[in-house]
Amino acid sequence: MIAMLKGACLVVDDSSTVRKAARRMLEQLGFNVREAGDGQEALNACRADLPRAVLLDRNMPVMDGLVFLRALREEFGPDQPVVIMCTTEAGTEQILEGLEAGAQEYVMKPFDREVLASKLAQAGLLPA
């Protein structure tokens, strides 16, 4: 049985391995997934077709996650799309910086489907 689609999610990470793993998890949770390898690609993708959600890596070349997030919020407003910042940095300062830039949630790498589903539910994208 195919899950009802929850909308589009853009996975933004410079690691193709992380993008593929996240894509698999998100598709299993019912999302239509697109990918971007850096913040500039992601901003272009959002301008072409704004997704419902963005799973965003913090540290990337070309345009990092924070620069992308600030540009996204300036262009599209504070609420849409929902952004979940994804990183290996566990420091409170880094987490607060991401949330203050406009992320609704934060998930630590590595994560599994259950952790991701929990964060999506906390962000209002899946039933709790």
Side-chain angles (χ1 to χ4, degrees), residues 46-121:
C46 287
R47 287 174 177 153
D49 187 14
L50 193 65
R52 182 168 181 218
V54 176
L55 184 62
L56 177 65
D57 185 24
R58 181 183 170 107
N59 299 312
M60 297 177 289
V62 183
M63 180 189 287
D64 73 22
L66 287 174
V67 173
F68 161 78
L69 185 52
R70 290 180 182 120
L72 181 77
R73 292 302 181 221
E74 185 175 315
E75 195 164 328
F76 296 100
D79 300 322
Q80 295 298 323
V82 171
V83 175
I84 299 174
M85 184 77 69
C86 175
T87 189
T88 56
E89 296 181 26
T92 304
E93 186 176 311
Q94 287 86 2
I95 293 170
L96 287 174
E97 191 175 26
L99 295 173
E100 287 169 0
Q104 280 88 350
E105 278 296 332
Y106 213 95
V107 66
M108 298 303 300
K109 291 181 190 177
F111 53 86
D112 60 20
R113 194 173 87 166
E114 290 73 30
V115 169
L116 184 57
S118 171
K119 291 296 183 175
L120 291 165

